[in-house]
Amino acid sequence: MSTRLTALHGNHACALAAVAAGCRFFAGYPITPSSEIAEHLSYELPKVGGTFVQMEDEIASIAAVIGASLGGLRAMTATSGPGFSLMQENIGYGAMIEAPCVVIDVMRGGPSTGMPTRPAQGDIMQARFGSHGDRPVVALAPASVQEIYTETIRAFDLAEQLRTPVTVLYDQVIAQLLESVAVPEPATIHVHERKWANGAGAAFQPYAAGEDGVPAMVRPGDGHRVHTTGLTHAESGFPTQVPPVVDRMMRRLLGKIDIHAAMLERYETLMTDDADVLVVAYGITARAARRAVMVLRAEGLRVGLFRPITLWPFPEGPLRRLAGQARAVLVPEMNAGQLVLEIQRLVAGAAPVHPLGRIDGEPIAPDQIVAAVKELAVHA
Amino acid sequence: MRPLSQDDIAPTPWPVTTGMNILVVGVGGQGVLMISKALALMAQRRGFAVKQSEVHGMAKRGGIVFSHVRFAEQVWSPTITRGEADMLVALEWAEALRWLDHLRPGRGVFIADTRQIVPPFACRSRKRGAPSGYARETPAEIVGRHADGCALDATGIATALGDSRAANTVLLGRLSAWLDYPVAEWHDVIAAIVPKGTREINRKAFDAGRGWTPPAPDADPDLVAAVPDALPDRHVGVAIEAAWCKGCGICVKLCPERCLAMDGPKAIVATPSACTGCRVCEWLCPDFAVTVRNEGVPA
Amino acid sequence: MLDVAPATPFDPKDYLRLQYMPHFMCPGCGHGIALRALLAAVHDCGIAKDDLAVVCGIGCSGRVGGYIDANTFHTTHGRPLAFATGLKLARPDLTVVVVTGDGDCLAIGGNHLIHAARRNLDLTCLMLNNEVYGMTGGQASPTTAATRLTSTTQSGAIEPTFDACALAAAAGAGFVGREVTRQAPALKTLIARALRHKGFSFVEVMSDCTEVYGRKNDLGEAPEMILSQKADMRPEQHNDAPNQPFRPNALPTGVFVERDLPEYGARLRAHAAMIRGDTAR
Ligand SMILES: Cc1ncc(C[n+]2csc(CCOP(=O)(O)OP(=O)(O)O)c2C)c(N)n1
Ligand code: SF4
Ligand SMILES: [Mg+2]
């Protein structure tokens, strides 16, 4: 037997997955509905020789996480909307200096303090654009406790391989939902080892990368003695403002995502082959959408579901293909309309794209999606 | 290389009816913004739409400052792109060269102070007169490459008038020779923007710039001065790495034996024999430019 | 770490990234003097360059690290102590020095300072206090003295200032000291003591910003500024015996606090061992 079935809360699954993925450092600041992740890790990490530290705020938390990552550890923090806002500057710093780390954002109702105990999906564009300037962005959106487990592990794997912060976005409902999870045997869990630099020398260029666009990382103490800065830097690691160099460095940084697009892409489809109406949903909302698709199919309507699991970069190709066959696209989400903007951009008029937003702190119910699809099917 | 002649210098004023793009550049503390303010105010008074945009982020610490002044009947873009400047006014020589490509090819007017403010990172060798990372083109070479313009020692002129800080107004005066506006209006504009106590000196500086004519060509000054002799072989000694010295004067004023002296912009060892090896200068040099050798006193 | 200075004489060139020299600081800037003192202290303590991590914030002070031939990190404004906390916890084998400014450490990063002091992780924090935001062109900082002119206090500063040392001490730092750049050899000794201290050590360096502060306040050129430090800082009040009560209205120099407190990293590791023991049982 390589797996065992356990009932876990979403946040507990996240904490255990982190440990299983080799996370050995967590820094965080309490916030509902993510605190259980910290609580579990405060106990789990010391058991495996890892470090848990409760910092003075979320800015310090992400900073400490990046510091630990620079020291060579797999590191993570977890928060919710208000804390995610505070972290943005340093997430950008992490992307700029290419420090792998994982940021869990358990989305709650917003804006501002909003509704700490109610679910939402309002941070997805913040995950995409929250930090100033252009940076590589990777964000994953699990839809079940099982997926929180697997996607947390994948977040570490991607972060380490691409040398960049990876965000995992889920909401209050699955964070605090108890579900059975097939926990794989530790030996079957594989997270790639960070590419380490070796061969110190005067000519060593810490930000020079090969074909894969990912430079090997320096472990302090290994003799390289490099400089790390959030200022735009050249291959040497030292600041530059020479336009062609800046252009080269920025394109390489952003290009890491494009080079590894195939590795990053992850989505799920349900009955999309002949779908007239394509529902695009992620996270908790995708669960309601799945139910809605079953109900509608039973009634004879040709409806399918496209569920991105990697939210950023968005699985563009598959979505475009499926939307091209559909007569209408519906995007239910627990915000005032965020992903729908991206879907409209991608579908580019091939089919009408309709939002279905909910912002009252309640999850979107299957009935609501059923009704909305019927409306579209009538008009389609 | 074409020698400068009076013809190169005498400006033909442009009848300004359609407006102009003027780029003013320099380093922090030189008064780039004063020139652009004066231009903007003048243009405004003349009924033009004016846009002025500037960068002066780290200006106060000697960083690069530049200002784009655009005026015409209608101006949309606040900045001047490469090759679109009708005039380039530079308060510092290296900045002048850095921005040359912004001048309109074949037509742009180039006006620059020949005064050099050498950034510390341009120093490459300890020998005086040795090549540095600073620009090597001579003013005559640069002016010769451009349709119209001049390079003048505005700082020297201002200093002679009593305040080196008025160098910017000297350049403004020079620039005014290319614009078809009455002198009295310029005087008004200057009076409106400079502090009250400096109106007189600024007016003088303006007039001096406006009326400037190139001096007769001199013999080249002898740039390569004698390099100080090597220190006698004593058990104490002090040496200065000229390439790293920024001339702050700390070592000169704090050496208890007064061994060191300023020589222009750099410190030198004036009386090496007086050095007792106390290391005060070494400890206090912010630039790691002073090394004291003293077998008796540990570093 | 060595308890006595090594036999080899100190040559700063051994510790500098020569290809980036001369550094970018303005003529006469006190940060350069502080940098030299730091390097001399590192030499005295016998810390190998490979084992030294210098974590800086943003500001002229934040640029100091880039010239040191070690593992150097230029982080975000106000946060170097938080980055350093993660780094030191991940890598207890490194000597982690934080170089920060008065704005970096006391304004935007004030929260991190008091918590780093409280936590007592083994970091050495060097705060270069030039009483101004040098990098951004001379705005007032939390240490700008009353009546001083800055570009945001054009008719004189009116806010009260922080005594950074009193703040760090009150927050629980195990080692707290202050020195002026004028007394560079004493500064070096102070930094070396701070480096050797187990736990959070805080050193405030009174540094001169010649370019945007000295000039604006008519404090003279670099030599005049550094000479006047003597009068301002009251060396007659030099604190040789630590743990004396703080004197108000004066900026004495010396060591104010030196106490053995449980170091956070060691505590954390002991705690982890305890948890592991519990689980095994
Ligand atoms: C979040 C953020 N806010 C503001 C700034 C702009 N900034 C850069 S340096 C600085 C002040 C630095 O002052 P100080 O820490 O005293 O250092 P000094 O330059 O005086 O050595 C500021 C406000 C920034 N980089 N980041
Ligand atoms: S601005 Fe001030 S603090 Fe910054 S380098 Fe110049 S003198 Fe030093
Ligand atoms: Mg400061």
Side-chain angles (χ1 to χ4, degrees), chain B residues 57-58 60-62 120-121 123-124 241 243-244 246-250 253-254 282-288 290-291 299, chain C residues 10 12 18 21-29 32-33 35-36 135 137 151 181 184-185 188 211-212 222-224 226:
Chain B
M58 303 204 275
K60 285 177 210 134
R61 39 182 322 283
F121 16 86
C123 311
R124 289 279 179 259
E241 175 99 29
W244 287 11
K246 295 178 192 152
C248 70
I250 289 179
K253 290 248 173 74
L254 275 89
E282 190 183 61
W283 275 109
L284 295 185
C285 173
D287 295 294
F288 299 87
V290 189
T291 312
Chain C
F10 167 63
L18 295 174
M21 292 294 287
H23 58 56
F24 100 129
M25 256 72 76
C26 303
C29 175
I33 305 175
L35 171 58
R36 184 191 183 95
M135 174 65 98
S151 42
T181 49
K188 178 209 72 174
E211 200 63 24
V212 303
E224 287 75 46
I226 202 164

Side-chain angles (χ1 to χ4, degrees), chain B residues 218-233:
Chain B
D218 280 348
D220 267 359
D222 185 13
L223 276 174
V224 188
V227 180
D229 290 335
L231 291 174
D233 195 14

